[in-house]
Amino acid sequence: MKSKRSQNAVILGYLQALWLPFLVCGLLAASAVDLVPRLTHSDCEMTWMFSWPQYQRLNLSLELREAYPQYGLHLYRENRNREEPLLDAAPLRLRGLPALFIPGNAGSHKQVRSSASIALQMHRHEFPRLRHFDFFTVDLNEEFSGLFGGVLLRQTQFVAASIRHILSLYPSSPSRPSSVLIVAHSMGGVVAQALFTLPNFPSSLVSTIITLSSPLARPVVTFDPSLMEFYTRISEVWYNDREGGVARNVTLVSVSGGDSDVQVPFHLTIPSSHPHQTHTPTIGSPAVPRNWVPADHRAVVWCRRLQLALSRGLFTLQTPPTNELTSDPSRQREVFHHLLFRGWSVPMTPSNTHLNSKGWKLVDSNPHFHEGSLPSMTALPLSSSSPSTLLLVATNSPTVHWLYVCVLSPSTSAKANCTDFSHRARLLPPRENVVKYVTLNEGELEGGTHVVVKTSLSGREKGRGREFVLFEWCQNRSLSLDLPFWGMTSSLHLPPSSHCTLTKVTLPQLTQIWTAHSAVVTASCAGVKGGLVLPRLPHTPLLHDNGTGRLVVPLSLQVPLRDDSVAELIVWSPSNCSLSVTLSPSLLSLAGKLLVLYTPLLLPWVTAVAMASPRTHLIGEMVLLAVMWGVTS
């Protein structure tokens, strides 16, 4: 009997000792279920090449070569003949705008290929009248700058010297560039910020910095104090100045890879905030229109649709007559906000124009849904008895100017005075079929007689999938929903209405980066293919349903919340239909996020404990020996 009790006690003791390791192993297994698909599969399209990339090494001064013998500066070029060598001593005829790529931790200077090639092709096919970009790249010997801060200052000094050398290569002329655009990956973004900490570096030499998965907030891991000192100096120069520091005059665009980047999590790519930096474009790859997918730490450099959006922004920033990049920080941030958050390179404010009303197809039904062969112009007459908000959803319409609020007087000619509201459009997935939606309120529609949608397509745009246009007058409704605790759900029911309803569901508790919840939107009306969940950042743009009437929406922050912003969903429910929104936690996603966020801290903690334990025992033994020696003496 006693032996049996002792055996039970031993087993119970083992269980009490092993419950924590078993729990940790279970969480690691659950996180692996969430992480492995993201690490082994990438939905990013790789950039296309039409010529052979070549990297011309530039001759630096003897002083630079002696000071930095392990580094180099290259100019990116393309050659249609692979066998034809590119001589390093070939004469340079630079007429474009200089751009410098800075690689990150153990990164190669050849990673400039995707950004440079896309910018070159875009200049040839979309912006031939603007200046092209001359992409330079620095070879930093693939040093481990993310682990040891001692090399960061040396890299920063070489990049500063390279910028001066690049500007000296351009001939003297009224159109000679005065600054260099910087595109940086990973720790290269930290080096770009550190340029302004150098005592003799003029801040006017760099006006725009685009960082790709760069840990701007703090290091991913910290092994030596010099790395933290480097970050502290950057923070003092950029953010702690009473007048805003250099960040007032420098546009910093930070793009992260999203949930698939396990090396630099999204929250580390958000630069420290200060009053002059509240509008810095900071976004995750899944939230960029036309991209919609996350990218791992390396893929963010060559993700094609992401690079297309960034390159289009660079060409949009050129201003006449010299076609240099605008030096106005507010204009730069406005352009990048518009391109990265909405996806359109159209004017930022409504513009006036004239349209011929003879080709209009008038519609007066509510809702109006037209699918298939679309007319060139679809016009909806406006009336004072309509509800407060007009919802428009269209697919495969022209990508620039397509939506107008017009005033047409019967006593005048067929020409109508119109205001272009195309810039208000937001995009919806999928990538293969461009779906746009716009909501116009009473103030924007006031004074207009018609809303006109241009649906004519070019020959190259036709046949890209399902084509339709939807007009519907909607009522607005606002509700709030709290996040549930583990093992529970929270839901709300949206009752049917005689009009379509746009319901803004605010989620005030969705503020943490590790939050892992999902929303299930269910339509309960017969004969209607559910509703559309319209994205409003800071959430990842969401797929519209596939006709089943049920949509699972992952809730994940891909854009940083500002002090006055709240995460929210905007749900469209058709007339005479009810919807329900149910929130539930996701254990697998939470385990995956915790593993990504805190695994880099595990190794330093274990090392610190291992180093501290022998020291603690040694001090205790020395104290004991001293006491014994005092007693015996």
Tab-separated table of all heavy atoms in Angstrom, residues 561-600:
chain	number	residue	atom	x	y	z
A	561	LEU	N	-2.241	52.396	-35.633
A	561	LEU	CA	-3.320	53.252	-35.149
A	561	LEU	C	-2.749	54.541	-34.584
A	561	LEU	O	-1.790	54.530	-33.819
A	561	LEU	CB	-4.124	52.527	-34.072
A	561	LEU	CG	-5.022	51.377	-34.527
A	561	LEU	CD1	-5.560	50.641	-33.310
A	561	LEU	CD2	-6.160	51.880	-35.383
A	562	ARG	N	-3.346	55.657	-34.964
A	562	ARG	CA	-2.965	56.934	-34.384
A	562	ARG	C	-3.771	57.182	-33.109
A	562	ARG	O	-4.690	56.442	-32.777
A	562	ARG	CB	-3.199	58.061	-35.406
A	562	ARG	CG	-2.413	57.881	-36.700
A	562	ARG	CD	-0.920	57.793	-36.457
A	562	ARG	NE	-0.185	57.580	-37.688
A	562	ARG	CZ	1.118	57.359	-37.743
A	562	ARG	NH1	1.827	57.321	-36.629
A	562	ARG	NH2	1.730	57.163	-38.889
A	563	ASP	N	-3.438	58.253	-32.412
A	563	ASP	CA	-4.075	58.510	-31.126
A	563	ASP	C	-5.577	58.710	-31.255
A	563	ASP	O	-6.334	58.366	-30.349
A	563	ASP	CB	-3.445	59.753	-30.481
A	563	ASP	CG	-1.977	59.517	-30.128
A	563	ASP	OD1	-1.602	58.351	-29.952
A	563	ASP	OD2	-1.232	60.502	-30.038
A	564	ASP	N	-6.033	59.273	-32.376
A	564	ASP	CA	-7.447	59.588	-32.534
A	564	ASP	C	-8.171	58.610	-33.453
A	564	ASP	O	-9.292	58.882	-33.894
A	564	ASP	CB	-7.602	61.009	-33.094
A	564	ASP	CG	-6.860	61.181	-34.422
A	564	ASP	OD1	-6.031	60.311	-34.746
A	564	ASP	OD2	-7.112	62.181	-35.111
A	565	SER	N	-7.567	57.472	-33.784
A	565	SER	CA	-8.184	56.527	-34.709
A	565	SER	C	-8.576	55.252	-33.984
A	565	SER	O	-7.979	54.884	-32.971
A	565	SER	CB	-7.235	56.208	-35.869
A	565	SER	OG	-6.046	55.608	-35.387
A	566	VAL	N	-9.594	54.590	-34.517
A	566	VAL	CA	-10.110	53.352	-33.960
A	566	VAL	C	-10.274	52.356	-35.094
A	566	VAL	O	-10.713	52.712	-36.190
A	566	VAL	CB	-11.467	53.571	-33.251
A	566	VAL	CG1	-12.003	52.257	-32.686
A	566	VAL	CG2	-11.332	54.600	-32.142
A	567	ALA	N	-9.898	51.116	-34.841
A	567	ALA	CA	-10.077	50.077	-35.847
A	567	ALA	C	-11.564	49.842	-36.079
A	567	ALA	O	-12.370	49.868	-35.143
A	567	ALA	CB	-9.407	48.779	-35.392
A	568	GLU	N	-11.922	49.602	-37.322
A	568	GLU	CA	-13.333	49.433	-37.637
A	568	GLU	C	-13.525	48.609	-38.897
A	568	GLU	O	-12.617	48.483	-39.730
A	568	GLU	CB	-14.016	50.784	-37.802
A	568	GLU	CG	-13.454	51.626	-38.921
A	568	GLU	CD	-14.033	53.036	-38.935
A	568	GLU	OE1	-14.317	53.566	-37.847
A	568	GLU	OE2	-14.191	53.600	-40.034
A	569	LEU	N	-14.708	48.032	-39.020
A	569	LEU	CA	-15.173	47.363	-40.227
A	569	LEU	C	-16.352	48.144	-40.771
A	569	LEU	O	-17.167	48.669	-39.999
A	569	LEU	CB	-15.624	45.929	-39.941
A	569	LEU	CG	-14.577	44.898	-39.528
A	569	LEU	CD1	-15.271	43.597	-39.162
A	569	LEU	CD2	-13.589	44.667	-40.642
A	570	ILE	N	-16.454	48.227	-42.091
A	570	ILE	CA	-17.626	48.810	-42.730
A	570	ILE	C	-18.321	47.692	-43.496
A	570	ILE	O	-17.738	47.109	-44.414
A	570	ILE	CB	-17.257	49.969	-43.675
A	570	ILE	CG1	-16.547	51.067	-42.878
A	570	ILE	CG2	-18.491	50.518	-44.357
A	570	ILE	CD1	-16.113	52.242	-43.708
A	571	VAL	N	-19.534	47.376	-43.103
A	571	VAL	CA	-20.258	46.246	-43.666
A	571	VAL	C	-21.442	46.760	-44.466
A	571	VAL	O	-22.238	47.578	-43.970
A	571	VAL	CB	-20.744	45.299	-42.551
A	571	VAL	CG1	-21.430	44.077	-43.145
A	571	VAL	CG2	-19.576	44.865	-41.672
A	572	TRP	N	-21.538	46.302	-45.689
A	572	TRP	CA	-22.678	46.644	-46.541
A	572	TRP	C	-23.695	45.520	-46.506
A	572	TRP	O	-23.374	44.373	-46.784
A	572	TRP	CB	-22.215	46.866	-47.986
A	572	TRP	CG	-23.340	46.852	-48.976
A	572	TRP	CD1	-24.421	47.678	-49.007
A	572	TRP	CD2	-23.490	45.962	-50.083
A	572	TRP	NE1	-25.236	47.366	-50.051
A	572	TRP	CE2	-24.690	46.308	-50.734
A	572	TRP	CE3	-22.728	44.905	-50.575
A	572	TRP	CZ2	-25.142	45.634	-51.863
A	572	TRP	CZ3	-23.178	44.240	-51.699
A	572	TRP	CH2	-24.362	44.606	-52.338
A	573	SER	N	-24.932	45.845	-46.167
A	573	SER	CA	-26.025	44.867	-46.210
A	573	SER	C	-27.067	45.352	-47.199
A	573	SER	O	-27.516	46.497	-47.131
A	573	SER	CB	-26.648	44.687	-44.825
A	573	SER	OG	-27.074	45.933	-44.305
A	574	PRO	N	-27.467	44.516	-48.168
A	574	PRO	CA	-28.476	44.924	-49.160
A	574	PRO	C	-29.821	45.193	-48.494
A	574	PRO	O	-30.053	44.857	-47.333
A	574	PRO	CB	-28.540	43.716	-50.102
A	574	PRO	CG	-27.292	42.945	-49.843
A	574	PRO	CD	-26.952	43.177	-48.416
A	575	SER	N	-30.709	45.810	-49.239
A	575	SER	CA	-32.041	46.102	-48.721
A	575	SER	C	-32.781	44.803	-48.417
A	575	SER	O	-32.611	43.785	-49.096
A	575	SER	CB	-32.825	46.932	-49.732
A	575	SER	OG	-32.913	46.252	-50.977
A	576	ASN	N	-33.593	44.839	-47.359
A	576	ASN	CA	-34.413	43.712	-46.925
A	576	ASN	C	-33.571	42.483	-46.569
A	576	ASN	O	-34.030	41.353	-46.721
A	576	ASN	CB	-35.449	43.339	-47.994
A	576	ASN	CG	-36.385	44.495	-48.312
A	576	ASN	OD1	-36.837	45.201	-47.405
A	576	ASN	ND2	-36.642	44.719	-49.597
A	577	CYS	N	-32.362	42.715	-46.132
A	577	CYS	CA	-31.492	41.616	-45.716
A	577	CYS	C	-30.910	41.952	-44.351
A	577	CYS	O	-30.627	43.112	-44.051
A	577	CYS	CB	-30.360	41.391	-46.717
A	577	CYS	SG	-30.891	40.759	-48.317
A	578	SER	N	-30.740	40.940	-43.552
A	578	SER	CA	-30.121	41.113	-42.246
A	578	SER	C	-28.765	40.419	-42.230
A	578	SER	O	-28.570	39.402	-42.901
A	578	SER	CB	-31.017	40.536	-41.147
A	578	SER	OG	-31.203	39.143	-41.346
A	579	LEU	N	-27.866	40.990	-41.459
A	579	LEU	CA	-26.517	40.424	-41.329
A	579	LEU	C	-26.186	40.264	-39.857
A	579	LEU	O	-26.686	41.006	-39.005
A	579	LEU	CB	-25.472	41.325	-41.995
A	579	LEU	CG	-25.499	41.489	-43.509
A	579	LEU	CD1	-24.379	42.409	-43.943
A	579	LEU	CD2	-25.363	40.159	-44.201
A	580	SER	N	-25.327	39.311	-39.566
A	580	SER	CA	-24.803	39.142	-38.214
A	580	SER	C	-23.284	39.134	-38.280
A	580	SER	O	-22.689	38.587	-39.210
A	580	SER	CB	-25.309	37.842	-37.585
A	580	SER	OG	-24.846	36.716	-38.318
A	581	VAL	N	-22.660	39.777	-37.295
A	581	VAL	CA	-21.203	39.843	-37.192
A	581	VAL	C	-20.807	39.200	-35.871
A	581	VAL	O	-21.256	39.633	-34.808
A	581	VAL	CB	-20.693	41.294	-37.259
A	581	VAL	CG1	-19.178	41.337	-37.146
A	581	VAL	CG2	-21.146	41.965	-38.554
A	582	THR	N	-19.985	38.166	-35.945
A	582	THR	CA	-19.561	37.421	-34.760
A	582	THR	C	-18.042	37.444	-34.660
A	582	THR	O	-17.352	37.096	-35.625
A	582	THR	CB	-20.051	35.965	-34.813
A	582	THR	OG1	-21.483	35.947	-34.951
A	582	THR	CG2	-19.664	35.224	-33.553
A	583	LEU	N	-17.531	37.855	-33.508
A	583	LEU	CA	-16.095	37.882	-33.261
A	583	LEU	C	-15.706	36.699	-32.382
A	583	LEU	O	-16.399	36.386	-31.407
A	583	LEU	CB	-15.678	39.180	-32.567
A	583	LEU	CG	-16.009	40.489	-33.269
A	583	LEU	CD1	-15.421	41.658	-32.492
A	583	LEU	CD2	-15.508	40.502	-34.698
A	584	SER	N	-14.605	36.059	-32.709
A	584	SER	CA	-14.110	34.927	-31.915
A	584	SER	C	-12.593	34.944	-31.937
A	584	SER	O	-11.975	35.321	-32.946
A	584	SER	CB	-14.636	33.597	-32.467
A	584	SER	OG	-14.235	33.429	-33.819
A	585	PRO	N	-11.927	34.536	-30.845
A	585	PRO	CA	-10.453	34.502	-30.814
A	585	PRO	C	-9.915	33.304	-31.577
A	585	PRO	O	-10.592	32.297	-31.764
A	585	PRO	CB	-10.144	34.404	-29.315
A	585	PRO	CG	-11.350	33.760	-28.728
A	585	PRO	CD	-12.525	34.187	-29.550
A	586	SER	N	-8.670	33.416	-32.005
A	586	SER	CA	-8.015	32.344	-32.749
A	586	SER	C	-6.744	31.945	-32.007
A	586	SER	O	-5.782	32.723	-31.945
A	586	SER	CB	-7.676	32.795	-34.172
A	586	SER	OG	-6.926	31.815	-34.850
A	587	LEU	N	-6.728	30.744	-31.427
A	587	LEU	CA	-5.587	30.297	-30.636
A	587	LEU	C	-4.357	30.070	-31.492
A	587	LEU	O	-3.235	30.436	-31.115
A	587	LEU	CB	-5.950	29.010	-29.891
A	587	LEU	CG	-4.831	28.392	-29.042
A	587	LEU	CD1	-4.385	29.364	-27.963
A	587	LEU	CD2	-5.281	27.075	-28.429
A	588	LEU	N	-4.535	29.485	-32.696
A	588	LEU	CA	-3.385	29.206	-33.550
A	588	LEU	C	-2.703	30.498	-33.989
A	588	LEU	O	-1.469	30.610	-33.978
A	588	LEU	CB	-3.823	28.392	-34.760
A	588	LEU	CG	-4.329	26.973	-34.491
A	588	LEU	CD1	-4.699	26.290	-35.804
A	588	LEU	CD2	-3.286	26.155	-33.758
A	589	SER	N	-3.491	31.486	-34.384
A	589	SER	CA	-2.904	32.759	-34.812
A	589	SER	C	-2.205	33.458	-33.656
A	589	SER	O	-1.138	34.065	-33.834
A	589	SER	CB	-3.986	33.664	-35.403
A	589	SER	OG	-4.555	33.077	-36.549
A	590	LEU	N	-2.792	33.378	-32.460
A	590	LEU	CA	-2.157	33.995	-31.293
A	590	LEU	C	-0.819	33.328	-30.997
A	590	LEU	O	0.181	34.003	-30.736
A	590	LEU	CB	-3.079	33.898	-30.086
A	590	LEU	CG	-2.482	34.408	-28.773
A	590	LEU	CD1	-2.201	35.898	-28.850
A	590	LEU	CD2	-3.393	34.093	-27.599
A	591	ALA	N	-0.773	31.984	-31.034
A	591	ALA	CA	0.479	31.282	-30.768
A	591	ALA	C	1.531	31.648	-31.802
A	591	ALA	O	2.714	31.851	-31.460
A	591	ALA	CB	0.236	29.775	-30.763
A	592	GLY	N	1.127	31.745	-33.059
A	592	GLY	CA	2.085	32.129	-34.095
A	592	GLY	C	2.613	33.530	-33.900
A	592	GLY	O	3.814	33.783	-34.059
A	593	LYS	N	1.750	34.480	-33.532
A	593	LYS	CA	2.203	35.850	-33.328
A	593	LYS	C	3.125	35.960	-32.114
A	593	LYS	O	4.134	36.683	-32.149
A	593	LYS	CB	0.993	36.771	-33.157
A	593	LYS	CG	0.216	37.007	-34.442
A	593	LYS	CD	-0.821	38.089	-34.267
A	593	LYS	CE	-1.509	38.387	-35.588
A	593	LYS	NZ	-2.474	39.498	-35.491
A	594	LEU	N	2.789	35.268	-31.035
A	594	LEU	CA	3.650	35.316	-29.853
A	594	LEU	C	5.023	34.723	-30.143
A	594	LEU	O	6.045	35.218	-29.653
A	594	LEU	CB	2.982	34.583	-28.693
A	594	LEU	CG	1.714	35.226	-28.119
A	594	LEU	CD1	1.142	34.371	-27.002
A	594	LEU	CD2	2.003	36.636	-27.635
A	595	LEU	N	5.050	33.656	-30.946
A	595	LEU	CA	6.337	33.056	-31.290
A	595	LEU	C	7.193	34.017	-32.103
A	595	LEU	O	8.399	34.152	-31.874
A	595	LEU	CB	6.117	31.752	-32.066
A	595	LEU	CG	7.376	30.967	-32.441
A	595	LEU	CD1	8.053	30.443	-31.184
A	595	LEU	CD2	7.041	29.819	-33.377
A	596	VAL	N	6.573	34.711	-33.040
A	596	VAL	CA	7.313	35.666	-33.865
A	596	VAL	C	7.792	36.843	-33.029
A	596	VAL	O	8.926	37.318	-33.174
A	596	VAL	CB	6.436	36.146	-35.033
A	596	VAL	CG1	7.107	37.301	-35.774
A	596	VAL	CG2	6.165	35.007	-35.999
A	597	LEU	N	6.944	37.328	-32.127
A	597	LEU	CA	7.262	38.543	-31.384
A	597	LEU	C	8.321	38.317	-30.314
A	597	LEU	O	9.174	39.185	-30.083
A	597	LEU	CB	5.994	39.100	-30.740
A	597	LEU	CG	4.925	39.632	-31.701
A	597	LEU	CD1	3.678	40.050	-30.925
A	597	LEU	CD2	5.457	40.811	-32.499
A	598	TYR	N	8.306	37.157	-29.652
A	598	TYR	CA	9.120	36.995	-28.460
A	598	TYR	C	10.245	35.973	-28.604
A	598	TYR	O	11.076	35.870	-27.709
A	598	TYR	CB	8.231	36.612	-27.279
A	598	TYR	CG	7.257	37.705	-26.927
A	598	TYR	CD1	5.902	37.563	-27.184
A	598	TYR	CD2	7.696	38.890	-26.367
A	598	TYR	CE1	5.000	38.579	-26.888
A	598	TYR	CE2	6.814	39.913	-26.069
A	598	TYR	CZ	5.461	39.751	-26.326
A	598	TYR	OH	4.590	40.760	-26.041
A	599	THR	N	10.293	35.220	-29.705
A	599	THR	CA	11.408	34.294	-29.888
A	599	THR	C	12.755	35.020	-29.963
A	599	THR	O	13.736	34.546	-29.384
A	599	THR	CB	11.195	33.442	-31.140
A	599	THR	OG1	10.020	32.638	-30.955
A	599	THR	CG2	12.376	32.531	-31.386
A	600	PRO	N	12.871	36.189	-30.655
A	600	PRO	CA	14.178	36.872	-30.666
A	600	PRO	C	14.663	37.284	-29.280
A	600	PRO	O	15.863	37.484	-29.083
A	600	PRO	CB	13.908	38.107	-31.543
A	600	PRO	CG	12.773	37.707	-32.411
A	600	PRO	CD	11.914	36.827	-31.562
